[in-house]
Amino acid sequence: MTGPDPILDALCPMHLRVDLNGRVIHVGPTLRKILGAAEIEGAAFFQLFTVRRPRGAGTMAALVSGARRRAKLELVRAPHTPFVAQVVPEPAGGAVINLSFGIGLAAALGDHALTSADFAPTDLTVEMLFLIESKSAVMASALERNARLHSARVVAEEQALTDTLTGLGNRRAVDLELARLAARRRPFALMHLDLDHFKAVNDTFGHAAGDHVLQEIAQVLGDAIRTGDVAARLGGDEFLLILSRPPSPRALELMARRLVRRIEEPIHYRHALLSVSASVGIARHDGTGPLDLVALFDSADAALYAAKSAGRGRVSLAPSDRTEPPVSPNRIAPHDGA
Amino acid sequence: MVGEREECAGMHALLNRMLHVFVEDTYGTEVWCDVLEGAGLSAVELDSLGPQTIRTTRALSRAVETVLARSVDTVLEDVGTYLVSHPNAQSVRRLLRFCGTDFVDFLHSLEDLPDRIRLAVPSLSLPEIEVAEEREARFLITCRGPLPGVGHLLAGLLRAMADDYGTLALLEHEGRSCDGDRLRVTLVDTAFSEGRRFVLGAGGAAPLLAGRHP
């Protein structure tokens, strides 16, 4: 065979024939488009292509003998498109070399303006490109949808009433409950809790341990309240109980002490025993007179502050609720076995 | 059975998304909000995938008819045209152009389209499409699927694709029979115009239906 072969052109539009001396005899129609130059016949093969594999093959003999099945070529000029090549030796010397873009086809097609008609109908190049493009389009759509769902989730979380870590109510739940209570003219009490030594647990055992402690405390608080009451986590290690049928101030104080003792029971975590305590400030609204929520909250807060400054693990009642002189802030020793 | 339902949901979700981007890109965000409101849906419900997706499509179709004061069939035809011609749906047009070197080649390739799509998204089951060449330059296309209206969408899409290839073609929607929607395509001039240029390697990773960017 010497001249162009229409059958080979149709079946392998990216082939070329090279003679014994490395001169190009013929180039398939698609490869001609890629090479761009009109006068390729007669050009030196090794000036058009760099042979990457078999490594260092600079003659036809070396290319033919070295490339058992698969050779790797690269365009000498930019954009240095890489090719996978099959080298089939001809009896008279020289070879038919069929090229393909291999897996680099997406990049290669970005550099060369080719259409489906440039590939043989049985060639899966176009199918592969279809797959690449549809996959990335689907992926991009999925990412977009994820982003939309994420922002929806953020909105939903803002509207949620539950603290996701502990399952207790959150600040929003507290606001709603207080607004509800303010509308009724009945007594209720706020018990403001702040954990002691929690930071030490976090610092020593890590945040997972800290989270575990918060969940255990949430369990204790949830068990302590009655139907109609609200237990909430205000954030960090700060909790609030809203008691809708509060007992006397004295009984409230005892209840808070029991809570503190329960909280001080060591918590098992992996192989460690974690100990925290809590300070509690209590404020009570007696159901008569105007209700100033902010002031009530402030007094619970002030009571908590007083408990904190009197030492850890203490309970303090807001001044207006004290019916008797303040109980001397008796230190409750941790694990006092009560 | 569950799998079948999921596949169906995927197709409905795709249809919902197509209606969404079409209405928003063509008529504006306000009109789209009217449609959502008319359908009693939130944007999140539209995005969620599940058995309710089918109900969503129905509610959406009715709301589109009311708000645009047009039959949903003609709207779906416009959706088909939109998918090929609107810049925000570029990747759809590109994927379709991959399927054939000219319009006739493209028509024949429609039969492979569901398999091609399944290769990329295994859970998405497109309606089965059958292409019969009745005689020279005359085709009968049957589109079998549980989704009503897909034939109208296909009609709009084929009309726009003919244009894209530079082919002058007549397209008639012959209605829905027991074996699906039937379309008749008659080619008048296959070299009517230049058509739009199409090279293989020009695509980026644009979302399938990008829609209006906020």
Side-chain angles (χ1 to χ4, degrees):
Chain A
M1 276 203 313
T2 48
D5 178 354
I7 292 178
L8 206 53
D9 276 355
L11 292 176
C12 305
M14 278 174 70
H15 84 280
L16 75 166
R17 294 180 61 211
V18 184
D19 72 12
L20 184 64
N21 303 314
R23 293 276 153 198
V24 175
I25 304 168
H26 174 71
V27 181
T30 301
L31 188 56
R32 183 179 300 279
K33 269 193 183 178
I34 294 165
L35 292 171
E39 296 300 318
I40 298 164
E41 278 83 358
F45 173 81
F46 293 100
Q47 276 168 18
L48 293 172
F49 295 95
T50 311
V51 179
R52 290 269 169 239
R53 190 157 300 179
R55 230 175 270 285
T59 63
M60 280 315 286
L63 181 62
V64 167
S65 64
R68 287 198 178 149
R69 288 180 51 77
R70 218 161 129 103
K72 284 188 170 177
L73 308 179
E74 198 179 284
L75 274 191
V76 167
R77 62 169 178 79
H80 311 293
T81 309
F83 295 97
V84 173
Q86 183 181 10
V87 181
V88 182
E90 289 198 87
V96 174
I97 304 171
N98 192 28
L99 304 188
S100 142
F101 289 124
I103 50 169
L105 83 108
L109 289 170
D111 293 328
H112 305 284
L114 299 176
T115 71
S116 319
D118 291 317
F119 295 93
T122 49
D123 188 336
L124 289 177
T125 297
V126 178
E127 301 291 339
M128 180 134 159
L129 208 54
F130 181 94
L131 197 60
I132 292 170
E133 278 210 26
S134 54
K135 274 280 184 205
S136 50
V138 166
M139 192 64 89
S141 297
L143 288 176
E144 223 187 49
R145 183 166 164 270
N146 266 1
R148 288 198 304 270
L149 287 175
H150 177 75
S151 52
R153 190 197 151 105
V154 169
V155 171
E157 270 174 8
E158 274 168 13
Q159 293 170 358
L161 298 172
T162 308
D163 171 54
T164 43
L165 176 66
T166 60
L168 296 183
N170 61 12
R171 208 173 266 276
R172 225 177 92 82
V174 166
D175 291 344
L176 282 176
E177 176 64 9
L178 287 180
R180 205 177 65 81
L181 286 172
R184 289 184 343 169
R185 295 170 160 270
R186 299 246 185 89
F188 67 90
L190 299 181
M191 211 176 260
H192 196 172
L193 266 102
D194 194 89
L195 297 189
D196 300 321
H197 317 301
F198 178 69
K199 192 174 175 299
V201 169
N202 251 346
D203 291 348
T204 315
F205 299 96
H207 285 284
D211 286 353
H212 180 71
V213 167
L214 292 174
Q215 284 163 340
E216 290 291 312
I217 303 298
Q219 183 74 44
V220 169
L221 297 182
D223 290 346
I225 59 172
R226 293 181 296 180
T227 325
D229 297 346
V230 168
R233 178 171 166 240
L234 299 179
D237 56 351
E238 216 183 313
F239 297 87
L240 185 78
L241 299 185
I242 305 173
L243 309 169
S244 55
R245 283 159 293 158
S248 69
R250 179 73 196 160
L252 272 174
E253 221 175 330
L254 291 174
M255 173 187 171
R257 294 235 174 90
R258 272 200 307 276
L259 264 180
V260 171
R261 271 201 297 278
R262 281 280 290 116
I263 289 169
E264 285 174 345
E265 284 171 18
I267 295 165
H268 291 267
Y269 178 73
R270 305 242 163 113
H271 301 297
L273 275 180
L274 312 176
S275 293
V276 294
S277 181
S279 300
V280 187
I282 304 169
R284 199 170 174 280
H285 173 66
D286 62 5
T288 61
L291 168 63
D292 182 346
L293 273 179
V294 177
L296 188 70
F297 228 104
D298 282 350
S299 57
D301 216 44
L304 173 63
Y305 184 75
K308 279 260 179 204
S309 37
R312 301 291 190 241
R314 308 208 179 189
V315 173
S316 172
L317 217 58
S320 60
D321 293 317
R322 290 192 196 125
T323 49
E324 50 204 88
V327 189
S328 63
N330 46 341
R331 177 85 183 88
I332 298 161
H335 337 307
D336 61 354
Chain B
M1 280 298 113
V2 173
E4 206 169 285
R5 231 223 234 120
E6 271 169 11
E7 281 180 13
C8 219
M11 196 55 212
H12 277 83
L14 184 63
L15 200 61
N16 295 347
R17 179 83 186 137
M18 288 195 266
L19 279 172
H20 174 183
V21 292
F22 165 73
V23 172
E24 202 173 12
D25 283 340
T26 314
Y27 298 92
T29 307
E30 270 182 41
V31 173
W32 172 243
C33 289
D34 289 347
V35 169
L36 269 188
E37 200 178 317
L41 291 166
S42 70
V44 186
E45 283 173 287
L46 203 67
D47 269 325
S48 60
L49 255 176
Q52 82 287 355
T53 314
I54 297 169
R55 272 207 311 280
T56 310
T57 307
R58 256 184 246 131
L60 216 52
S61 305
R62 273 199 295 270
V64 164
E65 281 192 322
T66 315
V67 173
L68 301 184
R70 301 171 53 195
S71 79
V72 74
D73 289 346
T74 61
V75 172
L76 283 174
E77 238 186 271
D78 283 358
V79 171
T81 306
Y82 163 91
L83 289 178
V84 177
S85 53
H86 199 279
N88 281 350
Q90 267 312 288
S91 39
V92 176
R93 176 207 167 235
R94 277 190 59 76
L95 289 176
L96 290 173
R97 279 292 296 255
F98 273 120
C99 299
T101 51
D102 55 37
F103 187 60
V104 172
D105 197 28
F106 168 74
L107 284 181
H108 283 298
S109 79
L110 284 174
E111 290 189 341
D112 302 329
L113 197 59
D115 284 337
R116 279 206 162 107
I117 300 291
R118 230 190 315 273
L119 210 55
V121 191
S123 63
L124 190 60
S125 181
L126 246 56
E128 195 186 312
I129 301 173
E130 194 183 284
V131 181
E133 192 163 4
E134 293 180 311
R135 54 183 164 82
E136 175 98 23
R138 218 176 127 92
F139 297 83
L140 180 69
I141 295 168
T142 314
C143 177
R144 292 190 187 87
L147 255 81
V150 169
H152 292 278
L153 192 142
L154 187 63
L157 190 137
L158 291 184
R159 217 168 258 148
M161 282 306 283
D163 217 44
D164 210 272
Y165 278 108
T167 298
L168 187 64
L170 281 178
L171 226 131
E172 296 145 90
H173 189 273
E174 304 215 318
R176 204 170 154 78
S177 70
C178 55
D179 55 341
D181 283 26
R182 287 149 67 97
L183 304 175
R184 182 152 275 123
V185 185
T186 311
L187 305 183
V188 180
D189 185 352
T190 51
F192 177 66
S193 70
E194 283 253 312
R196 271 166 81 194
R197 203 174 116 82
F198 178 70
V199 291
L200 294 175
L208 211 47
L209 293 166
R212 177 175 289 230
H213 289 290

